[in-house]
Amino acid sequence: MARRSFSEFGNALYTGEKSINFIGRRKTWYLISLILILVCLFGALLRGSPNLGIEFTGGSQFQVHLTEGQDRDSGAAEKVVTDVVPSSNPRVTELGASDIRVQTGSLKDDENQEVIAALAKAYNVDESEVTFSYIGPAWGQDITRQAIVALIVFIVFAAVVMALYFRTWKMSLAAMIALFHDLVITAGIYLITGFEITPAAMIGFLTILGYSLYDTVVVFDKIRENTSAGEVSDHRTFAESVNLGVNQTLVRSINTSIVALLPVASILFIGAFVLGAGTLRDISLALFIGIFAGAYSTIFVAAPIYSQLREGEPAIKEHDAKVLKLRAREAEKSDDEETVEAEATK
């Protein structure tokens, strides 16, 4: 019954029988987005420096190779490291079905050897089963630099392609603003909550770009169809045509977001609570937040901004004036007919 009602609701939105006024209430959505962005920015500033992973700060990494089914208690590894270096804050993650990875800050050579011996003893394995590697900060800096370059290239390329595809730079600009909205909120939540920023999280941030634009393109495609030269209605203003396009794609956006969130949520749950795999958790957490933000920004940010950018154009102002004039004339005619009918029944 609920499924049928949702389907009927979607059909009513598509035909215009029902309408949610997304565009007319844009100041409310702008205010909500502004508050979210300010909370993210000030929250991140108040929290201080970001919690960067060892890949960005440099440090020591140990990997203990256990047999499948052997106890992988992370508490034992943490105790071993803090016994050797009390000031350290080790990060322990499970790898695959049998390994444990321990990451710490930079240790001295003798401290590394002590940790290797202690880990071997704690997990009852030979010292040869504990491998050590040093990760320099240059690796993380190189990843960061490449991520920034990739981000700039992606944004420029996507902006040009969207401007050509939709034949207006204003749709491209609105999509890019929504994209930055998603990135700021996702990164802000990450920084405020103190989640560790790892290369996997960076991959998640970059993946958000694709999802955010995909959802925006679907909605914009319908808006372009409603507002193209041959499809402009004499009974709807430009903003109302944009609003109709958002309503027509609302159910599809919700369904797409849910379908995208379900596997990501499953990976997040499995990564965080079942496998304890840091890489899975980091990338799925960024995607989970980003998909939510992307679904919101497409409807409440991108479409209203595009409508606002176009409403000042002379041709659209002229069209809107004609629609409002025709609407006023029809309302006046309807009032006159009601008056005649009322007098006739006296």
Side-chain angles (χ1 to χ4, degrees), residues 119-131:
L119 284 172
K121 184 178 180 182
Y123 289 100
N124 196 27
V125 295
D126 191 82
E127 288 189 20
S128 61
E129 297 298 323
V130 182
T131 55

Side-chain angles (χ1 to χ4, degrees), residues 16 72 79 84 92 119 150 232 240 301 305 310 317 319 339:
R72 295 192 290 176
K79 184 176 184 307
V84 176
V92 183
L119 284 172
V232 176
E240 289 168 346
V301 178
I305 286 178
R310 294 290 307 274
K317 289 172 74 174
H319 167 75
T339 303

Side-chain angles (χ1 to χ4, degrees), residues 140-155:
Q141 291 168 3
D142 187 49
I143 290 291
T144 304
R145 184 170 56 254
Q146 291 184 25
I148 293 173
V149 171
L151 178 65
I152 294 172
V153 170
F154 175 84
I155 288 175

Side-chain angles (χ1 to χ4, degrees), residues 33-310:
S33 292
L34 182 63
I35 291 172
L36 286 174
I37 289 171
L38 289 177
V39 167
C40 288
L41 292 177
F42 283 107
L45 288 174
L46 290 174
R47 184 167 180 88
S49 57
N51 183 17
L52 297 173
I54 187 176
E55 296 84 357
F56 298 98
T57 59
S60 300
Q61 177 171 292
F62 306 88
Q63 189 163 338
V64 185
H65 307 287
L66 305 172
T67 57
E68 194 167 342
Q70 191 173 346
D71 184 20
R72 295 192 290 176
D73 178 23
S74 61
E78 291 175 0
K79 184 176 184 307
V80 162
V81 177
T82 52
D83 284 347
V84 176
V85 188
S87 60
S88 66
N89 184 24
R91 182 187 181 209
V92 183
T93 52
E94 296 181 0
L95 298 179
S98 60
D99 286 10
I100 282 184
R101 184 179 63 193
V102 183
Q103 294 177 322
T104 71
S106 298
L107 304 180
K108 298 175 182 175
D109 290 340
D110 56 335
E111 292 173 333
N112 289 325
Q113 293 304 318
E114 283 187 56
V115 170
I116 290 173
L119 284 172
K121 184 178 180 182
Y123 289 100
N124 196 27
V125 295
D126 191 82
E127 288 189 20
S128 61
E129 297 298 323
V130 182
T131 55
F132 161 75
S133 59
Y134 174 76
I135 299 177
W139 189 84
Q141 291 168 3
D142 187 49
I143 290 291
T144 304
R145 184 170 56 254
Q146 291 184 25
I148 293 173
V149 171
L151 178 65
I152 294 172
V153 170
F154 175 84
I155 288 175
V156 171
F157 184 73
V160 172
V161 170
M162 288 191 70
L164 293 174
Y165 177 71
F166 290 115
R167 299 180 183 85
T168 170
W169 61 268
K170 293 181 180 178
M171 270 192 174
S172 179
L173 177 61
M176 293 303 118
I177 292 173
L179 193 65
F180 280 110
H181 169 278
D182 300 342
L183 282 177
V184 169
I185 289 178
T186 306
I189 292 175
Y190 238 84
L191 294 174
I192 291 172
T193 52
F195 286 117
E196 191 174 33
I197 298 177
T198 63
M202 297 285 286
I203 293 170
F205 292 148
L206 294 176
T207 308
I208 292 168
L209 306 178
Y211 175 80
S212 178
L213 282 182
Y214 168 76
D215 202 32
T216 304
V217 167
V218 169
V219 176
F220 276 7
D221 219 20
K222 193 64 187 175
I223 291 174
R224 183 183 65 164
E225 187 179 314
N226 289 346
T227 57
S228 61
E231 300 294 332
V232 176
S233 171
D234 292 335
H235 300 281
R236 287 193 297 268
T237 63
F238 181 81
E240 289 168 346
S241 294
V242 173
N243 195 67
L244 177 63
V246 177
N247 277 277
Q248 288 174 325
T249 51
L250 179 64
V251 172
R252 180 175 177 174
S253 289
I254 292 173
N255 289 337
T256 304
S257 300
I258 291 173
V259 169
L261 277 172
L262 285 176
V264 173
S266 301
I267 295 171
L268 179 60
F269 178 79
I270 292 170
F273 300 108
V274 180
L275 297 179
T279 302
L280 282 178
R281 181 195 59 202
D282 294 342
I283 193 169
S284 56
L285 182 61
L287 287 174
F288 194 80
I289 300 170
I291 290 173
F292 260 123
Y296 171 84
S297 68
T298 297
I299 297 169
F300 297 99
V301 178
I305 286 178
Y306 171 67
S307 178
Q308 191 167 4
L309 288 173
R310 294 290 307 274

